[in-house]
């Protein structure tokens, strides 16, 4: 990727918008070199090199995604909650914080996707927080989720593309991230590092 970007160094490129995953291959020195001929912005989780180089960007607050999702399940009465571990460490930390501050005797267990369905029945889970809407639909299709289990997705993409969806979802909208980045580039808002809070779209699954 570094070699590909250098091919454009002689062209009138005004800005580069980097996915934080792709940006991980750059050192701080390389990022600063790129800044010498184009404005840099990132989207996704902020990495150390991005922050050290002072690159502005926008990301969804993964800690709040975990916290808000599990908090919602607790509020509707769930006390044995399974959560997909694919959501990442920050999301799991937010989820655990929601359980820790609850006055109820709630339990939270993390599982990989292959375990979610079988463990839900064995552990008598009454709520499941998936890493994505797509993951929720995959698990449902396998037929492991019998009984009354509250299901909560994440990202909301399935619901936006299928209005008939019944899946509640912690929703972070990619277009909101892009709009904020474009506002920074257009000098409409300050160019800084900004965390966007997630929303919660409620449907019949919870």
């Amino acid at each position: 990727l570094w070699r590909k970007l250098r091919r454009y160094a002689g062209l009138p490129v005004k800005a580069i918008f980097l996915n934080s995953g792709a940006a991980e291959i750059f050192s701080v020195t390389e990022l600063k070199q790129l800044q010498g001929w184009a404005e840099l912005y990132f989207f996704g989780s902020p990495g150390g090199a991005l922050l050290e180089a002072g690159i502005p960007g926008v990301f969804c607050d993964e800690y709040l995604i975990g916290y808000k999702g599990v908090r919602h399940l607790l509020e509707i009465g769930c006390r044995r909650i399974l959560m997909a571990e694919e959501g990442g460490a920050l999301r799991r930390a937010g989820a655990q914080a929601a359980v820790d501050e609850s006055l109820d005797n709630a339990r939270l267990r993390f599982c990989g996707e292959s375990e979610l369905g079988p463990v839900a029945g064995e552990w008598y889970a009454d709520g499941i927080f998936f890493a994505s809407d797509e993951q929720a639909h995959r698990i449902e299709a396998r037929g492991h989720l019998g009984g009354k289990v509250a299901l909560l997705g994440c990202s909301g993409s399935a619901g936006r593309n299928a209005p008939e969806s019944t899946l509640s979802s912690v929703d972070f909208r990619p277009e909101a991230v892009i709009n904020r980045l474009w506002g920074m580039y257009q000098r409409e808002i300050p160019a800084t590092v900004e965390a966007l809070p997630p929303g919660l779209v409620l449907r019949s699954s919870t």
Side-chain angles (χ1 to χ4, degrees):
L1 182 57
W2 170 239
R3 288 194 299 271
K4 290 179 181 178
L5 287 175
R6 289 194 64 181
R7 288 169 52 197
Y8 298 98
L11 299 177
V13 176
K14 294 184 177 180
I16 300 173
F17 297 87
L18 284 169
N19 180 292
S20 58
E24 289 178 358
I25 70 169
F26 294 114
S27 67
V28 174
T29 300
E30 289 169 337
L31 287 170
K32 288 183 175 180
Q33 282 181 303
L34 283 175
Q35 280 183 303
W37 59 273
E39 297 177 36
L40 295 188
Y41 302 88
F42 78 87
F43 56 96
S45 301
L50 289 166
L51 297 178
E52 192 175 341
I55 309 299
V58 181
F59 63 99
C60 295
D61 193 320
E62 290 288 333
Y63 183 92
L64 277 182
I65 288 171
Y67 180 88
K68 195 164 192 173
V70 170
R71 185 72 185 171
H72 170 60
L73 292 174
L74 291 168
E75 287 173 349
I76 64 172
C78 297
R79 295 297 176 265
R80 297 175 69 85
I81 299 170
L82 285 180
M83 183 173 178
E85 61 187 16
E86 288 86 357
L90 279 175
R91 196 179 294 186
R92 293 197 299 271
Q96 189 64 58
V99 170
D100 291 345
E101 72 177 30
S102 172
L103 298 178
D104 300 303
N105 186 26
R107 297 177 64 188
L108 177 65
R109 180 171 172 178
F110 302 105
C111 291
E113 179 172 332
S114 62
E115 304 172 282
L116 278 173
V119 171
E122 296 168 7
W123 197 57
Y124 301 103
D126 52 12
I128 304 178
F129 187 11
F130 297 95
S132 67
D133 288 9
E134 288 75 12
Q135 184 185 62
H137 293 307
R138 285 197 300 271
I139 300 295
E140 276 189 298
R142 294 171 191 161
H144 291 301
L145 302 178
K148 295 182 178 179
V149 182
L151 305 179
L152 183 62
C154 190
S155 84
S157 57
R160 290 198 297 275
N161 296 330
E164 70 278 6
S165 174
T166 61
L167 183 67
S168 293
S169 187
V170 180
D171 193 11
F172 55 93
R173 294 177 173 268
E175 60 268 31
V177 172
I178 298 303
N179 285 340
R180 297 299 292 177
L181 284 174
W182 193 247
M184 292 180 186
Y185 173 66
Q186 295 289 347
R187 309 295 192 271
E188 296 169 356
I189 57 176
T192 183
V193 176
E194 181 178 351
L196 295 183
L200 183 61
V201 178
L202 300 181
R203 299 188 181 95
S204 60
S205 70
T206 62

